[in-house]
Amino acid sequence: MTKKDTITILEIAEMSGVNPSTVSRVINHPEMVNEKTREKVQAFIKECNYQPNPFARGLQTKRSKIVALVVPNFTTLSFANLARGIQERLMQSDYSMVIFSSHEDEVLEKKICKKISDLHIDGVIFASSMMPNYDELSYGIAKVFIDRDGSLDGIDTFILDVEGAFDKLIKYLVDKGHSNIGFVVGDKKSYAGLKKISAFKKAMKNHGLEVDEKFIVGALWSSKEGWNATSKLLEGKDIPSVIIAGSDTLGIGVIGAVNSKGLSVPEDISVVGFNNEPGSESMNPPLTTMEYDDYGMGQEVADAIIKRINKPEGEIEIKIYTMDIIERKTVRKHLLTNKIIYD
Amino acid sequence: MTKKDTITILEIAEMSGVNPSTVSRVINHPEMVNEKTREKVQAFIKECNYQPNPFARGLQTKRSKIVALVVPNFTTLSFANLARGIQERLMQSDYSMVIFSSHEDEVLEKKICKKISDLHIDGVIFASSMMPNYDELSYGIAKVFIDRDGSLDGIDTFILDVEGAFDKLIKYLVDKGHSNIGFVVGDKKSYAGLKKISAFKKAMKNHGLEVDEKFIVGALWSSKEGWNATSKLLEGKDIPSVIIAGSDTLGIGVIGAVNSKGLSVPEDISVVGFNNEPGSESMNPPLTTMEYDDYGMGQEVADAIIKRINKPEGEIEIKIYTMDIIERKTVRKHLLTNKIIYD
DNA sequence: ATGAAAGCGCTAACAA
DNA sequence: TTGTTAGCGCTTTCAT
């Protein structure tokens, strides 16, 4: 408003009585310039609120100071928190974040990769991405993977230890006397769904439990879908004593469906959620669930991509995030088998 | 990977046997160039997957083809949906979106405005922003306001008709026989909170109801806060027969608190939410709430900012979004007054 | 309808 | 330590 629109390095140079390249040095390599000149120039820069033109700078340096985040969607809470962590930390380091939602669609992901390359973005963070290939991505761009193993490709990777989480969870349930365990996955075909199913099966085996395929039911990620899937699970007389939901949102539907059958949680059937979404602590009854620090992960991921941008050949970082059980009121000790209760 | 990293307009020109400026014309003003040359050049552009360097282009045109979205946070579902609508529509028009979360903090907003100017971003969308002033914003940048009236400043504005929503809602409740209406607002000091309180009071008056200040209780936007605020509301014997929650997330806590007092929803106390968040349909009981099309709003907002970028002096657009009642199971007819029930 | 040439604002190699 | 200069890749005016 009150500001002149185009103040350039040339004007700063004139004011300071030095050459433009000296001003440039003050900005980019302050150590190369004499203290007195530096301070004089810095004073003018500050006074004029001068900021280098990013186009001119980018044209020269081939750097945009922009990082892209690709997530399957914006609405899943853990992605929103992740994005928040990333954005805040990036901003601290003077980077900006562009964000794309891929819907786990390979074609769209390709388009996004192309777009990212065309924009000359410095680094990309892929969260739960399909990434069948990334030919469209310009060679050498910094990359970080979240929840997809890139270690073989020499890519920094942040993984959520879903296997460990299910292991903890199944152990917890077994300790409570459960053995008939149902699982209302989200979208069975999504990356997150596939990963959870495999972790679930592995954990079951680890604890000597048989996996009954009909106890694993798919749904999209909404509560309503969870409700419907659970209803199916509850048909017939061979019924689980506890149901794991692939997310807390799904868990709402699970509890709804259990109630609608005239059964109570946890008296008749126990339920556990996933992700500790806001609201789950205030549900009726408060939902036992699994959580991890998505926001903190976002911050560390942002640090990692910046590091990678500045040091393409640095050592690859692999970091694993563990999940913990938040014990609330939806799981109770199971002493009798289902057969005895329902037969 | 398989791609040459720097293919420039010069190379396309050489291949096509024309001058770089002709290639530029083919890209930016195709109508100015002879059909045959145009097709030949276009063929090479396509073959090489050529895309103009955004730095060089921006340096010349002063356009970044980037739009900024500023929201109070990423985690509130309606902002996530809004962002999705905006991003998808922008991408269709070859724009990218950078996103900033302001936490409704004036200082941070100022920093963000500065950043936006420094980045030479083409347009900004402010959602529920404080915007005490926007001196930091470069003069003449395209702007769109969401949920903040900018009509006086000649700024395109998209408003959610919260007043109309509360009017509908209070009418609905009055028709059901309610007159003691409690309101668990979110953050009373936030922009959204303030707006809702004022709309609530106005609607109450419109329908001849007295506003009892102690029936309006604040909370942050979490379920747990909603629970605590509701507990306070339920102390003593002068108790509302229906409680409006400022969001569905808050509503979860409201229901929890009601239940924890040994009361039932809707038999003893009715509850209504706000925003129709996913899960509310599967709650126990399914939550009656208010909704609007946040995703669609995002799309229209994206169209508006693009229009404004291309036509800074075009007519100002003001659009109002109405909300509708989603009637589910948490409100029931109230025939007796509270006094008779609880005295 | 096309080509030639200048210049957007900056950085960095080279010279002094 | 500082100045001089070239050039990043593009668009656009001017000339043809």
Side-chain angles (χ1 to χ4, degrees), chain B residues 23-223:
Chain B
V23 178
S24 174
R25 279 186 205 105
V26 168
I27 294 166
N28 302 299
H29 315 283
E31 72 288 354
M32 296 180 79
V33 43
N34 177 292
E35 191 178 327
K36 277 198 100 168
T37 6
R38 193 201 315 151
E39 277 166 9
K40 188 174 53 184
V41 173
Q42 274 164 343
F44 282 107
I45 289 178
K46 192 157 188 186
E47 190 190 317
C48 301
N49 210 355
Y50 168 75
Q51 198 68 20
N53 177 312
F55 301 129
R57 177 177 257 186
L59 191 53
Q60 191 74 7
T61 62
K62 279 126 179 61
R63 293 286 186 82
S64 58
K65 285 272 197 175
I66 296 178
V67 166
L69 171 63
V70 184
V71 288
N73 64 72
F74 300 166
T75 46
T76 298
L77 200 83
S78 47
F79 291 129
N81 275 323
L82 181 78
R84 181 169 65 99
I86 292 172
Q87 191 263 318
E88 288 181 13
R89 183 58 62 89
L90 283 179
M91 184 140 177
Q92 285 168 16
S93 303
D94 210 37
Y95 278 80
S96 302
M97 180 182 87
V98 301
I99 187 165
F100 298 93
S101 133
S102 73
H103 303 292
E104 304 207 7
D105 170 344
E106 293 191 16
V107 178
L108 186 52
E109 275 198 10
K110 270 198 150 181
K111 265 188 207 155
I112 292 170
C113 286
K114 174 78 162 68
K115 185 88 199 153
I116 286 170
S117 299
D118 293 345
L119 280 171
H120 287 242
I121 275 172
D122 296 343
V124 206
I125 299 163
F126 287 101
S128 311
S129 116
M130 304 308 278
M131 294 291 283
N133 59 59
Y134 33 99
D135 287 1
E136 299 291 336
L137 225 47
S138 52
Y139 178 73
I141 187 172
K143 302 183 224 22
V144 171
F145 282 179
I146 295 175
D147 251 14
R148 165 168 281 281
D149 193 353
S151 53
L152 288 177
D153 299 321
I155 293 170
D156 298 302
T157 304
F158 290 70
I159 296 266
L160 187 58
D161 182 17
V162 172
E163 286 203 359
F166 272 89
D167 205 74
K168 271 185 202 171
L169 180 54
I170 299 295
K171 177 174 184 337
Y172 169 81
L173 295 175
V174 167
D175 286 351
K176 292 263 182 193
H178 294 276
S179 58
N180 290 326
I181 303 179
F183 183 22
V184 175
V185 201
D187 184 355
K188 272 186 162 182
K189 281 178 224 141
S190 71
Y191 185 75
L194 256 16
K195 194 170 161 183
K196 281 174 187 158
I197 290 175
S198 132
F200 172 74
K201 288 184 176 174
K202 196 162 170 182
M204 290 289 277
K205 276 178 196 140
N206 276 355
H207 293 279
L209 262 30
E210 292 248 339
V211 175
D212 186 341
E213 286 288 347
K214 77 170 185 302
F215 276 11
I216 304 180
V217 292
L220 297 182
W221 297 101
S222 74
S223 306

Side-chain angles (χ1 to χ4, degrees), chain A residues 9 21 24 50 57 60:
Chain A
I9 205 172
S21 60
S24 174
Y50 167 77
R57 176 177 258 184
Q60 191 73 6

Side-chain angles (χ1 to χ4, degrees), chain A residues 121-142:
Chain A
I121 275 171
D122 296 343
V124 206
I125 299 162
F126 288 100
S128 310
S129 117
M130 305 306 279
M131 295 290 284
N133 60 60
Y134 33 99
D135 286 2
E136 299 292 337
L137 224 48
S138 52
Y139 178 72
I141 186 171

Side-chain angles (χ1 to χ4, degrees), chain B residues 180-286:
Chain B
N180 290 326
I181 303 179
F183 183 22
V184 175
V185 201
D187 184 355
K188 272 186 162 182
K189 281 178 224 141
S190 71
Y191 185 75
L194 256 16
K195 194 170 161 183
K196 281 174 187 158
I197 290 175
S198 132
F200 172 74
K201 288 184 176 174
K202 196 162 170 182
M204 290 289 277
K205 276 178 196 140
N206 276 355
H207 293 279
L209 262 30
E210 292 248 339
V211 175
D212 186 341
E213 286 288 347
K214 77 170 185 302
F215 276 11
I216 304 180
V217 292
L220 297 182
W221 297 101
S222 74
S223 306
K224 184 152 199 189
E225 290 272 339
W227 182 307
N228 294 340
T230 306
S231 297
K232 217 171 293 168
L233 202 56
L234 263 27
E235 280 165 10
K237 54 183 186 142
D238 189 11
I239 279 178
S241 65
V242 55
I243 300 174
I244 301 171
S247 75
D248 286 3
T249 303
L250 241 26
I252 294 173
V254 171
I255 293 177
V258 170
N259 289 336
S260 79
K261 291 263 173 187
L263 302 170
S264 310
V265 175
E267 288 74 12
D268 300 309
I269 294 187
S270 296
V271 172
V272 1
F274 215 84
N275 278 357
N276 194 25
E277 292 163 16
S280 61
E281 64 187 343
S282 305
M283 279 168 52
N284 180 26

Side-chain angles (χ1 to χ4, degrees), chain A residues 253-273:
Chain A
V254 171
I255 293 178
V258 169
N259 289 335
S260 78
K261 291 262 175 190
L263 302 171
S264 311
V265 176
E267 288 74 12
D268 299 310
I269 296 187
S270 295
V271 173
V272 1

